[in-house]
Amino acid sequence: MFRLRPSVFRRAGPRDIFLVAVVLCICVYEGIHYMGPVKPTSAPQDKKVKKSRLDIIIRKQKSKAPKCGLTQPCGPEEYAFYLTSGAGKNLQPEMCFEDTFVMTAEKGNLGRGMNLFLMDPNGPKILDAKTFDSYRGADDQIQQFLNAAPKNSVILVATFDDAARKLNIESRASFGQFGSKLIHQLNFRGSFVMVGQKGLPPGCAIEEVHLGKSFTFAGPSEIGGCIFLTPTIKVGRLEIGRPREESCNKITFGGKLVGKPLGHSNCGVEQTCASDTVPVHMFTGKDNKVKPIICVNGESPISPDKAAVGRGFNLVIFDPQKKQVVKAEHFDTYAEDSSMMEIFLDSIEADQILLGVTFDDASRSLKSFAKKLLEELGASMAQDITLRAAYMFIGQKGIKGRSPYEKMEGLSPGVSWPQPIENHFCLPLKIKGKQGKGNINEGKNELRRAFCKKYDGYSDFCDAENIDNPLKASQIVDDNMHGDDILTVPIIVVPGMILNNLRLTLETLLLQPGIQVDHVMVMYDEKFSEELSNLVKLFGFQFKSLKSSRRYSDQFVKAMQEAWISFPKAENIIFLEEDLLVSSDFLSYFAQLLPTFEKDTSLSAISAWNYNGYKYVSDNSSLVYRVENFPGMGFLLKKSFYFTHIKRVLHTCCNKRSYYDWQDVMKVSMEVLVPDTSRVFHQQYEGMHKDAGLMKELFNKDRITNLDSKAKLLDVDSLEKSKYEEHLEALLKSSKSLDTSRVGDCAKDKIGFTVPNTIWKSYTIYYSQSSTEDHSVLTLLARCFGLFSFEGETPKGLHKELLRFTYNKNHVFLIGSKSPYFKYKPSSVQEIGVSNR
């Protein structure tokens, strides 16, 4: 059974721990098995668009979620791992790799002694998994197993109960082949974990050991983080555990550097830098433990694995003509005077660039002449460097004025270390100086800093690189949006319990071109009053406290009632549910549909979310459909529909979450406009709610969210009721029926159909129904294609018993025998029925 890591509780606040405890007490987890869709043979490719800050946020949220209980997801080509030993005779080990628990008591492959598994680094794939009872004695088997392991194979090890009693020195030396050194410290009832690779010198594995005392069991040893396997093991990020020995960072093994710090040929800069600039990553380090980084044009001469890094000043001279590092040094201006640093600074030639960061303390022995030399390079704050100040500076020999690339963080009262400084950006090869003296407070977002100091749990929002970014509404970039009615439509945000998720919602809203902050209101449960209202204030949005609710759906009902009171003149209101991020063209999407929507009385809402918006079946950001379901999540609601159909049955239609389809409960014949590609992204669900299975089906499968800020909708006029019928008829008349002879393959986790390799042609599949309520065959078809499919739920996205989606850049229509469109079935085509499934 999975247990919460101790480190999880160390990172959680009291409120989080209380909520976890409450959930564990009152909730029952329901496990749901899902057989996913088979990918098409020619999968549609994501559109290449310029990345805005908003797109980066969404891409980060859409990237693989943290695995194995880590707090952050691993980067590209990295693999997540988490190992914890057992503790005593009852608390068993956990051995997780990429969210797979390879060895567990339930699988019967876990036991007393040494538990280990081998991996091929080129796969990666599991080669073998074994348990050796080294309490009773298994030396011959251990040595034989480890000695026979292939070269470069990766090993993960965790002990349980006692593993040392009869583990002899030869067996311990066998683990040394994989880089272990701490294995020799493992004693009776001690605990031990490691990740190593055959061929590493001792001390270069990732490992941890806790010693047993007398006859008392040690506590669990744990390590976790991200590693590269290409084909030699390299540490990407170590989240739990001690760093490897310094010498390991200089070892060449298999032609590659082992222990190379997580880096990027572009120094982690998201965009491609112009030819007259170079990418730069500057980081002052954190307190006196996390070491600094200087990366320039793909080189990292200052990084935790380099000798030229340490307390004091860390400096790099860069030649802008050759675009390469000339030299790098660190000077301990805490313990030694700065004379050697002065010689280094004096050696800088004309036009050469100096990049520098301080670490720990750099002020104690820093002399005035060194400060003067820095000032000549454009460092206007050099005279202000004080005890333990974090200082980042980039200057150039011959600069006129002060450098714009300078920042300092001093100590605050009651704080031992300053806020670290970190930046990724494109640095001009010719730095243009500014006039006047730099100000240590220049560019600081004091409100955001105060918030981050008071509240925990806001991850990158409060990190050194982002904490001073201004929170300002984005300006209109498309002239057609000036004066558009959508800009005056109120937006109501109804947050849940995770306030960092609300922060992401607000951040993506603020990035909407033309957003009017006074038209955005967050309506929240009063129990989150202080922290939540302070968060909303940072963004400049409105907020209103609602009486506390036991369930989120009750809170949402209260927000819907209050919204029309707060904005009495509004004809339409946009509602956003919890844990959503909005796409780049969120407002533009609604703006393009609003004129048609307001004229058509048969439409109740515009949804920004598609039930069926999964990867491979929703790849056209220009298409919008009419559907009979109410998808909810993020939607624009018509005032007349609310007061005519919702208000009178508010507590019966809407006492469940909107993804249960309110319109089905209300039994109204109106329809909703839904995009083929969603304009909101719901963050993945993690929890034990009674609806956990449904929520994971909806939110945890791979979904597509539009990232093209300039997406234009096609044939918007054809969405009007009568025109839509004409539009569908034209598509169906020109369509071709798919071969359904192998539909039975769907039950074998195969697609069962072949969609031709064409571009935006229409294809149909006809299926039988005993009534309009009979969707048994359609449910099978939905699962075949990877559409929404969940036990007890009917397929979503229907329009008159027709389900429409895109697949491999083509239109596909699933048409029931009770649909008026069934008449387009050619006589030679056999509909799919119960007998031929």
Side-chain angles (χ1 to χ4, degrees):
M1 174 184 255
F2 183 79
R3 66 177 183 269
L4 289 172
R5 294 177 2 212
S7 56
V8 171
F9 287 93
R10 287 198 295 270
R11 294 185 180 96
R15 184 193 72 196
D16 301 316
I17 296 173
F18 170 74
L19 290 173
V20 169
V22 170
V23 170
L24 289 173
C25 291
I26 66 174
C27 295
V28 177
Y29 174 78
E30 297 179 6
I32 303 297
H33 173 71
Y34 168 72
M35 180 181 288
V38 175
K39 298 178 183 179
T41 54
S42 178
Q45 300 295 312
D46 292 334
K47 291 183 177 180
K48 292 185 178 180
V49 296
K50 184 179 179 181
K51 296 179 184 177
S52 68
R53 167 65 180 156
L54 185 147
D55 293 339
I56 292 167
I57 292 171
I58 293 181
R59 287 178 190 273
K60 284 182 177 179
Q61 295 304 311
K62 288 186 66 174
S63 66
K64 54 185 178 181
K67 296 180 178 180
C68 293
L70 300 180
T71 61
Q72 298 179 27
C74 292
E77 301 181 5
E78 293 180 347
Y79 297 92
F81 73 93
Y82 172 70
L83 299 177
T84 179
S85 68
K89 295 178 181 291
N90 298 317
L91 193 61
Q92 296 185 334
E94 289 174 10
M95 305 183 72
C96 180
F97 183 81
E98 281 291 289
D99 253 5
T100 298
F101 286 84
V102 179
M103 302 183 73
T104 66
E106 290 77 7
K107 292 180 178 179
N109 61 353
L110 197 66
R112 180 174 62 186
M114 288 287 179
N115 299 277
L116 51 89
F117 62 91
L118 283 176
M119 292 194 309
D120 180 349
N122 298 311
K125 62 181 179 180
I126 307 300
L127 298 175
D128 204 352
K130 294 284 187 182
T131 294
F132 298 102
D133 189 351
S134 49
Y135 172 82
R136 289 192 177 275
D139 288 318
D140 290 343
Q141 298 96 313
I142 290 174
Q143 292 168 40
Q144 182 179 358
F145 181 84
L146 296 181
N147 291 340
K151 183 182 178 181
N152 292 356
S153 56
V154 176
I155 192 170
L156 291 87
V157 183
T159 61
F160 178 43
D161 194 331
D162 176 65
R165 180 171 174 262
K166 291 196 174 181
L167 186 70
N168 67 21
I169 191 167
E170 289 81 7
S171 295
R172 294 173 190 258
S174 296
F175 284 100
Q177 300 176 66
F178 293 82
S180 178
K181 185 176 182 179
L182 299 182
I183 188 67
H184 294 285
Q185 298 181 23
L186 179 65
N187 65 350
F188 180 60
R189 292 189 171 178
S191 63
F192 174 76
V193 288
M194 73 169 281
V195 177
Q197 185 173 33
K198 195 162 188 179
L200 288 180
C204 292
I206 306 165
E207 55 185 341
E208 186 63 83
V209 66
H210 287 164
L211 303 182
K213 296 181 179 179
S214 299
F215 288 92
T216 304
F217 282 103
S221 295
E222 62 173 347
I223 53 177
C226 307
I227 52 176
F228 295 92
L229 303 174
T230 56
T232 56
I233 185 172
K234 299 185 290 184
V235 180
R237 186 184 81 248
L238 192 59
E239 192 166 297
I240 306 165
R242 68 181 76 188
R244 298 194 295 175
E245 292 189 357
E246 197 71 29
S247 59
C248 298
N249 299 319
K250 303 174 185 177
I251 296 170
T252 301
F253 178 59
K256 297 200 176 184
L257 185 68
V258 179
K260 186 176 181 180
L262 176 60
H264 196 289
S265 60
N266 208 40
C267 293
V269 178
E270 291 283 350
Q271 72 270 27
T272 301
C273 295
S275 59
D276 59 349
T277 67
V278 289
V280 165
H281 175 201
M282 304 285 286
F283 176 52
T284 58
K286 186 178 181 182
D287 50 54
N288 63 345
K289 296 181 177 63
V290 182
K291 291 186 176 181
I293 295 171
I294 297 178
C295 177
V296 54
N297 203 31
E299 295 184 70
S300 298
I302 301 295
S303 62
D305 64 320
K306 297 293 195 300
V309 64
R311 181 174 60 187
F313 268 89
N314 297 270
L315 303 175
V316 174
I317 299 175
F318 182 77
D319 187 330
Q321 301 299 322
K322 298 179 180 179
K323 291 188 178 181
Q324 64 185 30
V325 172
V326 176
K327 54 183 173 181
E329 291 287 347
H330 103 270
F331 302 94
D332 187 354
T333 52
Y334 173 83
E336 304 168 1
D337 70 50
S338 54
S339 57
M340 296 304 294
M341 176 176 159
E342 292 162 10
I343 294 172
F344 181 90
L345 294 175
D346 203 40
S347 72
I348 299 175
E349 299 178 3
D351 291 328
Q352 287 185 337
I353 293 172
L354 177 72
L355 302 94
V357 293
T358 61
F359 175 61
D360 193 334
D361 179 63
S363 68
R364 186 167 178 249
S365 300
L366 184 66
K367 303 303 181 184
S368 59
F369 186 62
K371 295 178 181 179
K372 182 176 183 297
L373 291 173
L374 287 171
E375 284 183 340
E376 290 175 357
L377 296 166
S380 67
M381 298 183 193
Q383 297 292 340
D384 302 326
I385 298 175
T386 56
L387 177 67
R388 293 185 176 177
Y391 179 55
M392 180 207 84
F393 163 71
I394 302 177
Q396 191 165 27
K397 191 68 173 277
I399 190 174
K400 295 181 179 179
R402 67 180 176 90
S403 170
Y405 304 103
E406 184 180 29
K407 191 171 183 180
M408 186 183 297
E409 293 285 348
L411 290 176
S412 301
V415 176
S416 299
W417 298 97
Q419 176 80 27
I421 301 169
E422 184 170 22
N423 278 112
H424 298 79
F425 56 93
C426 295
L427 175 72
L429 296 174
K430 184 67 175 178
I431 300 175
K432 186 177 181 181
K434 299 174 70 175
Q435 297 304 308
K437 187 178 185 299
N439 186 338
I440 191 171
N441 294 313
E442 184 179 8
K444 290 186 178 180
N445 189 330
E446 296 296 351
L447 288 177
R448 186 164 174 173
R449 284 171 172 253
F451 178 88
C452 292
K453 184 178 180 180
K454 187 172 183 180
Y455 303 110
D456 294 325
Y458 290 90
S459 58
D460 62 332
F461 183 72
C462 291
D463 69 20
E465 187 160 13
N466 297 320
I467 196 167
D468 289 319
N469 289 345
L471 296 171
K472 295 181 179 180
S474 297
Q475 301 300 307
I476 291 175
V477 293
D478 181 355
D479 290 339
N480 294 325
M481 286 289 287
H482 282 290
D484 196 286
D485 290 344
I486 199 66
L487 300 180
T488 61
V489 173
I491 300 174
I492 304 298
V493 180
V494 187
M497 300 176 69
I498 305 175
L499 299 189
N500 189 47
N501 287 356
L502 170 63
R503 182 269 298 185
L504 289 167
T505 302
L506 301 183
E507 192 169 353
T508 54
L509 272 176
L510 198 66
L511 290 168
Q512 293 297 306
I515 189 77
Q516 304 294 304
V517 294
D518 56 339
H519 281 69
V520 178
M521 180 175 286
V522 179
M523 294 188 174
Y524 61 93
D525 191 302
E526 62 186 359
K527 59 177 165 280
F528 296 121
S529 183
E530 181 187 4
E531 181 176 349
L532 191 147
S533 61
N534 286 339
L535 175 63
V536 178
K537 286 177 185 177
L538 293 178
F539 292 87
F541 295 138
Q542 310 300 305
F543 55 90
K544 181 168 287 190
S545 174
L546 304 174
K547 288 185 178 180
S548 190
S549 302
R550 185 174 62 87
R551 302 181 307 166
Y552 178 81
S553 54
D554 296 332
Q555 181 187 352
F556 199 87
V557 166
K558 292 173 184 176
M560 290 185 72
Q561 292 173 311
E562 185 60 38
W564 303 103
I565 297 172
S566 298
F567 298 95
K569 295 182 180 180
E571 293 300 320
N572 304 287
I573 292 181
I574 295 172
F575 291 90
L576 286 174
E577 298 188 39
E578 65 176 335
D579 302 341
L580 296 180
L581 290 84
V582 301
S583 70
S584 309
D585 69 332
F586 179 74
L587 284 183
S588 172
Y589 164 77
F590 283 116
Q592 293 177 70
L593 293 173
L594 190 59
T596 297
F597 173 74
E598 290 186 320
K599 290 186 293 184
D600 193 336
T601 58
S602 68
L603 292 171
S604 60
I606 305 173
S607 177
W609 190 70
N610 183 354
Y611 275 114
N612 296 312
Y614 300 110
K615 192 173 183 179
Y616 305 121
V617 289
S618 62
D619 59 2
N620 193 326
S621 60
S622 299
L623 293 181
V624 179
Y625 311 139
R626 291 178 68 108
V627 303
E628 296 158 0
N629 306 113
F630 190 92
M633 307 308 296
F635 56 92
L636 183 149
L637 189 65
K638 190 176 288 186
K639 183 176 186 177
S640 58
F641 179 76
Y642 171 80
F643 282 99
T644 303
H645 297 285
I646 295 182
K647 185 178 180 181
R648 58 186 175 82
V649 291
L650 191 59
H651 293 282
T652 54
C653 83
C654 311
N655 63 353
K656 287 188 175 183
R657 298 297 295 265
S658 62
Y659 48 72
Y660 277 105
D661 188 4
W662 290 345
Q663 204 143 287
D664 183 56
V665 178
M666 288 182 283
K667 304 298 181 185
V668 295
S669 59
M670 298 177 74
E671 291 191 304
V672 177
L673 297 180
V674 172
D676 182 72
T677 305
S678 295
R679 262 58 178 194
V680 292
F681 171 76
H682 192 290
Q683 298 186 70
Q684 291 194 343
Y685 173 77
E686 294 182 6
M688 294 174 287
H689 190 274
K690 63 183 180 66
D691 295 330
L694 173 61
M695 295 168 78
K696 288 178 180 179
E697 168 69 18
L698 289 172
F699 310 134
N700 291 16
K701 286 173 59 179
D702 200 356
R703 282 186 164 271
I704 299 295
T705 305
N706 181 50
L707 294 177
D708 182 1
S709 61
K710 298 180 180 180
K712 297 299 180 185
L713 303 181
L714 296 176
D715 303 320
V716 172
D717 289 342
S718 69
L719 294 169
E720 186 272 326
K721 187 176 181 180
S722 60
K723 292 180 181 177
Y724 192 69
E725 298 306 316
E726 297 172 1
H727 175 67
L728 281 181
E729 287 181 4
L731 289 173
L732 294 174
K733 285 179 179 178
S734 63
S735 68
K736 295 183 179 180
S737 295
L738 290 178
D739 179 6
T740 62
S741 60
R742 300 190 63 183
V743 65
D745 285 350
C746 285
K748 304 173 186 176
D749 199 22
K750 297 180 180 179
I751 193 63
F753 311 101
T754 300
V755 178
N757 190 23
T758 54
I759 299 293
W760 300 125
K761 298 296 183 180
S762 298
Y763 297 96
T764 54
I765 295 175
Y766 295 90
Y767 64 93
S768 64
Q769 294 176 281
S770 59
S771 69
T772 55
E773 303 298 318
D774 176 17
H775 297 114
S776 55
V777 179
L778 180 59
T779 299
L780 172 69
L781 294 174
R783 191 173 71 177
C784 276
F785 280 102
L787 302 167
F788 172 77
S789 175
F790 189 76
E791 185 177 356
E793 292 291 320
T794 59
K796 306 297 184 183
L798 287 167
H799 169 78
K800 297 182 179 181
E801 301 306 314
L802 174 148
L803 200 161
R804 178 183 179 185
F805 58 97
T806 57
Y807 188 89
N808 207 13
K809 297 192 181 300
N810 286 289
H811 306 281
V812 178
F813 301 88
L814 309 181
I815 304 171
S817 58
K818 300 301 179 181
S819 170
Y821 310 113
F822 196 76
K823 64 185 178 182
Y824 294 106
K825 182 183 77 68
S827 57
S828 59
V829 172
Q830 174 69 38
E831 71 266 25
I832 298 174
V834 176
S835 60
N836 56 0
R837 282 192 286 169

